[in-house]
Amino acid sequence: MSDELRSLAGVDRIIHEPSRSIILAILSAVESADFLYLQRETGLTKGNLSVHLSKLEEAGYVSIEKTYRGKVPLTLCQLTDQGRQAFDSYRKQLKQFVENTKE
Amino acid sequence: MKDEIERQQQRVVQYDFVDGTPDMAFGGLCLLMTICFAIFAAFPGLEDSTLSTIIFWAIFAGGGFLIGWLPQRLKERVTFARTGYVAYSRQGRPLKSWVRWTIRIGVPLISVILLALLFLNRSKFPAQSQDTTLFLNPGLTGLLFTGIWVMIGWKVKRSRYYLIAAITFLISIGLLFSGSSGYLGMAVLSGAMSLILFVSGSLTLWKYLRRNPLPTEAADE
């Protein structure tokens, strides 16, 4: 296996899933976003989004806070420092891989 | 994947402008400026009085309120219920609480102190004809705003800001060629910009509301 392929094999599997990488991409650009916004932007169902967020939370990449805005329940999602570092590192790895495998 | 990630991040930045509230907030500020300039134009000599200082402070305080608080309240009632809530961090990552409070208190305080010093000591500045200052030249000010709209349009990739820039440019050229100057010219410029921004904001909000009806069930998990 070449070094380029080996470097791809080493990417974070939690992030290396399209839906989760999109969730992290959105959260990396904001301080926090709620469940509704993430659902609309990712196009995922409530159940799927919930599962992906749980996985990201378990990995320590996202913090989830259940709160209220007036009487409306609000689930606020925020990228943790660990999540930001992991996402930055993932992007660097992908970029590196693309650069190395250019014709 | 890289393109998709960047596209998503761009969409997050655009989201703040999706409902037209920033346009209306800035339109409100322009309206306040129009009133202020119209008063100064109608009552020559007033600009040198203490009242003008109070009016200017009110404009700055009111402007800060309009640009900061009002769109946020509008968004809470209209946008967040329809398409979700987003809190922005200007540094791209959350600021610590004490930094946020220092900025919230420090920036307005320093601005007010500087403005107070400027107004209290304005008699010490060299005499200058009002018509020749950059601030009171409506044509040049309009061109400056044209540049600002182009920059905003480029940053948020919203074509309406290019249209606003084009209209502002035409108004500025008109003001330059008509020789309008002083407070009356500034009132015309800010009044026209206020109108454009209210129209732009209202149309954007109308389109947004039509496309995004209130969800019938709570989308929260």
Side-chain angles (χ1 to χ4, degrees), chain B:
Chain B
M1 181 59 70
K2 178 189 156 198
D3 289 344
E4 178 65 11
I5 288 170
E6 283 176 357
R7 194 181 65 81
Q8 281 297 338
Q9 289 179 329
Q10 179 64 47
R11 280 176 62 83
V12 175
V13 176
Q14 287 175 336
Y15 185 63
D16 204 23
F17 296 83
V18 78
D19 53 9
T21 49
D23 303 32
M24 286 192 272
F26 199 75
L29 179 63
C30 287
L31 185 65
L32 280 176
M33 284 167 65
T34 307
I35 294 167
C36 182
F37 288 131
I39 291 171
F40 288 160
F43 303 100
L46 187 69
E47 69 270 20
D48 294 325
S49 69
T50 314
L51 184 64
S52 72
T53 311
I54 295 166
I55 291 173
F56 243 91
W57 280 19
I59 292 282
F60 272 90
F65 168 81
L66 272 169
I67 284 182
W69 186 85
L70 198 58
Q72 201 59 25
R73 295 291 89 77
L74 264 170
K75 279 179 186 292
E76 274 177 17
R77 287 181 181 278
V78 176
T79 317
F80 298 157
R82 285 174 167 78
T83 48
Y85 169 81
V86 168
Y88 293 92
S89 168
R90 299 198 192 286
Q91 259 76 55
R93 58 179 65 226
L95 293 172
K96 286 179 180 160
S97 173
W98 69 269
V99 178
R100 276 205 303 267
W101 279 106
T102 308
I103 292 170
R104 276 179 198 166
I105 296 167
V107 172
L109 193 70
I110 291 168
S111 306
V112 166
I113 290 169
L114 287 176
L115 272 171
L117 288 173
L118 190 69
F119 274 101
L120 294 173
N121 294 299
R122 65 192 152 160
S123 56
K124 292 174 189 165
F125 294 119
Q128 197 172 21
S129 164
Q130 284 175 356
D131 292 356
T132 57
T133 60
L134 179 66
F135 179 64
L136 285 176
N137 189 317
L140 291 179
T141 310
L143 290 177
L144 185 72
F145 274 108
T146 303
I148 291 170
W149 295 128
V150 169
M151 274 171 61
I152 292 174
W154 176 77
K155 185 165 169 53
V156 302
K157 308 278 186 292
R158 293 274 167 192
S159 52
R160 72 175 188 271
Y161 290 110
Y162 291 119
L163 186 64
I164 292 173
I167 298 170
T168 309
F169 178 74
L170 290 176
I171 293 168
S172 311
I173 295 295
L175 286 167
L176 272 176
F177 279 100
S178 68
S180 297
S181 60
Y183 291 116
L184 190 61
M186 289 300 289
V188 171
L189 175 72
S190 52
M193 276 187 28
S194 166
L195 183 68
I196 298 163
L197 288 166
F198 273 123
V199 169
S200 156
S202 307
L203 284 175
T204 309
L205 182 62
W206 176 71
K207 257 167 62 180
Y208 170 80
L209 291 175
R210 220 173 48 150
R211 283 182 192 165
N212 301 287
L214 262 177
T216 47
E217 55 169 327
D220 218 4
E221 269 299 290

